[in-house]
Amino acid sequence: LEETIPKPLEDTGNVLKQGYLEKRSREHSFFGSEWKKRWCVLNRQTFYYYANEKSKQPKGSFSISGCSARLAAHLRKDARRSCCFELTCPGKRTYEFTAPSPGEAEDWVDQIQFLLKDLSSFTIPCDEEDEEELYNDVDSSDSINTTAHSTTLKQEEEPNLKMEDDIYEVLPG
């Protein structure tokens, strides 16, 4: 997979989530790898990270297509371990992050997982609870009879109504 070309912050497209995260650097020092504060921006297909929110050019970016996101408490041994998550990109690397709070970490993971579902299908993903809900603007369980009734009413309309008035339905009585 090709790396995405870094873009200035203003050109990242529709921003779905952004905020400060700590990102674990790839370079290992004598004390292990370092966590650096980065301004992170997620759009529909790409994750960008900047030195700060005023930076014009990202420090790096990667396509989230094909990646997986999950909470990862094993990344830290301190009190912030419940704020950690990772993005595993097959064939590239695993990106490791610490959010300001456990709730923020969950929100980042949820947003990324939602996008991954969206990228892997041609339909908009929905929660299982929403699948059964039908959107019907007519308050009736028998939509066939309602449609037939509407057709009958339209046929009984006065023939001398103007075109603009066709949006109104004449009710009997």
Side-chain angles (χ1 to χ4, degrees):
L1 295 170
E2 295 179 17
E3 283 291 320
T4 57
I5 299 170
K7 298 179 183 179
L9 186 55
E10 297 85 24
D11 296 340
T12 57
N14 292 336
V15 173
L16 300 174
K17 184 148 182 70
Q18 61 186 345
Y20 278 105
L21 297 172
E22 288 183 21
K23 181 186 161 296
R24 183 181 266 180
S25 64
R26 256 199 308 200
E27 298 88 39
H28 294 280
S29 69
F30 177 73
F31 300 105
S33 55
E34 291 182 49
W35 291 92
K36 295 183 180 177
K37 190 174 180 179
R38 297 287 183 233
W39 179 255
C40 298
V41 177
L42 176 65
N43 74 11
R44 288 186 55 83
Q45 298 173 350
T46 309
F47 191 103
Y48 299 91
Y49 51 96
Y50 299 82
N52 59 53
E53 67 184 297
K54 292 182 170 84
S55 298
K56 299 288 184 201
Q57 290 294 324
K59 292 282 225 179
S61 64
F62 56 94
S63 170
I64 62 164
S65 181
C67 294
S68 63
R70 69 182 181 113
L71 295 173
H74 68 277
L75 296 178
R76 293 179 83 135
K77 304 285 185 233
D78 60 9
R80 305 220 27 229
R81 69 177 192 242
S82 61
C83 303
C84 296
F85 68 96
E86 63 186 8
L87 290 165
T88 304
C89 302
K92 291 185 195 174
R93 65 178 265 210
T94 297
Y95 295 87
E96 301 167 336
F97 298 96
T98 302
S101 70
E104 270 295 298
E106 280 184 49
D107 194 40
W108 277 97
V109 170
D110 289 346
Q111 286 288 328
I112 293 164
Q113 287 176 343
F114 179 83
L115 286 172
L116 292 170
K117 283 182 196 174
D118 193 31
L119 288 172
S120 66
S121 72
F122 294 112
T123 58
I124 298 172
C126 63
D127 293 335
E128 289 178 19
E129 300 167 0
D130 296 337
E131 285 182 39
E132 304 255 343
E133 189 174 340
L134 297 174
Y135 295 98
N136 190 348
D137 60 347
V138 178
D139 194 18
S140 169
S141 61
D142 190 2
S143 60
I144 296 171
N145 286 345
T146 305
T147 305
H149 182 64
S150 296
T151 306
T152 306
L153 286 176
K154 285 184 181 181
Q155 289 171 352
E156 294 173 1
E157 288 178 1
E158 296 177 32
N160 58 355
L161 290 177
K162 296 178 188 170
M163 271 307 257
E164 300 121 33
D165 295 333
D166 282 348
I167 62 169
Y168 299 103
E169 195 172 331
V170 177
L171 299 175

